[in-house]
Amino acid sequence: MQDLLSVLFYIRKAGTKDPTQATIYLRITVNGKRAEVSTMRKVPISKWDARANKIIGYSKESKQTNRQLDIIKNRIYEIYHNLLNEDIEGVSAIRIRDEYIGANKNQKYILEMFEEHNLQMERLVGKDFSFRTLQRYKTTKKHLAKYMKSSLGLTDCSIKKIDVKYINGFIYFLKANQNLSHNSSLKYVAYFKKIVRVAYANGWLDKDPFYNFKLRPNTIEKEFLNEDEIGKLIQASFSIPRLRQVRDVFIFSCYTGLAYTDVAKLMGDDIVIGMDGSRWIKVKRTKTKTLSSIPILPIAEKIIAKYASLTRHEKKLLPVYSNQKTNGYLKEIADLCGITKKLTFHMARHTFATTVTLSNGVPIESVSKMLGHKSLKTTQHYAKILDHKLSEDMRNLKLRIEDKSVAQSLDKVL
């Protein structure tokens, strides 16, 4: 249903020193609600026709003023139709008036802000941001656009309209309409939060709607490979070169803890001689910009040496396929090796933290340094995983002991 618009002019005597003069005011009415503003034009009271909404007479001044009033009226109708077409937040008398006087020039809209942010970020890909991070921001913008269209009936929304109700509505939309998990939904909300915080920092928002709003992800046990599974991968013989190559790079990550993006960017210059005289990898993580200092273990050294001639001209340390292809090939490798776990490249990082280091007595502080974690709390999650594994191992041990004849003999004695 289209909004009912009315535009008229009237005069006010207040504010004029000359009692015979009055100021012409503009009144905009939409669905019975008004907004008014001065036209800043004076008129002799005796010449104003309230019914006709114009000045009486054919003088040059009268014609000029009436022409200006017509221009104002046409401008109001133009703004009204533009707002209808944009369908941003619904049409109101106040919005039309604010648009007319230019009060909305500093008005910021969410999707517009997202687009500006993403364009700036695109120019910094490879310098300050990774391509994957940019893609996540772009996907967040798409989800927001769908949410506003389907749930709110808007094509965009003023940043000032963001509140806790809006945020909760977005989270519900991601779960119910986009079929995303709780944790995946919160990741997109976290990217949205960064855009809102930019608006707050620039003074476009009076208060931060995310203040005291807690994004609590569900705890998920991160999978990792045990020693037997690592052994299966290392000992497997593949006739297809691409599978051998992906397996080797994956194992390299299992013994260095480097994430996919960091392995893909790894150069020969990133290897230095440490204070102990052995070779170390020292790189800043792409994700957090924190320094990872990793002594190169013998298995990792062998993999580097294996591909030294192949990557010499590229100056890269290892030949790495795209992330999508790598994870696709890892599924093939898991099937061929009889590994039932969902093998992804990031599992190598978890394997390094648990099976390779913490399980072998490496202090958690050292593991945190090698992983390039900003906080020890992030690394402590792996220690919780090991506690869970220890409990499971002890349960299995109890079952094995109960099956043995020794336990049965003890039952007779005790």
Side-chain angles (χ1 to χ4, degrees), residues 252 266-268 271 281 303-304 307-308 311 315-319:
F252 177 82
L266 206 59
M267 310 289 280
I271 296 178
I281 294 173
I303 294 171
I304 293 172
Y307 292 97
T311 58
K315 294 186 178 179
K316 285 193 174 183
L317 205 64
L318 296 171

Side-chain angles (χ1 to χ4, degrees), residues 81-89 95 109 154-156:
H81 287 296
N82 286 342
L83 292 175
L84 279 180
N85 292 332
E86 291 173 6
D87 191 25
I88 292 177
E89 296 177 63
R95 289 205 66 225
Y109 291 92
L154 306 175
T155 56
D156 207 342

Side-chain angles (χ1 to χ4, degrees), residues 151-168:
S151 301
L152 306 177
L154 306 175
T155 56
D156 207 342
C157 179
S158 169
I159 196 74
K160 292 185 177 181
K161 298 291 184 181
I162 306 302
D163 54 16
V164 173
K165 182 180 178 182
Y166 184 101
I167 298 166
N168 283 324

Side-chain angles (χ1 to χ4, degrees), residues 84-135:
L84 279 180
N85 292 332
E86 291 173 6
D87 191 25
I88 292 177
E89 296 177 63
V91 181
S92 69
I94 292 174
R95 289 205 66 225
I96 294 172
R97 180 201 62 190
D98 290 349
E99 189 71 28
Y100 168 69
I101 64 176
N104 288 334
K105 285 183 178 178
N106 293 324
Q107 183 84 306
K108 292 291 180 179
Y109 291 92
I110 300 165
L111 297 182
E112 284 183 3
M113 280 194 65
F114 247 107
E115 186 61 24
E116 289 174 12
H117 171 272
N118 292 349
L119 287 173
Q120 291 176 358
M121 187 181 237
E122 204 162 352
R123 299 186 190 102
L124 297 175
V125 168
K127 299 176 183 176
D128 295 338
F129 305 99
S130 69
F131 178 74
R132 290 181 68 194
T133 303
L134 172 63
Q135 290 303 107

Side-chain angles (χ1 to χ4, degrees), residues 46-57:
S46 60
K47 289 189 175 184
W48 180 253
D49 186 341
R51 287 188 178 182
N53 258 233
K54 65 179 183 179
I55 300 173
I56 303 169

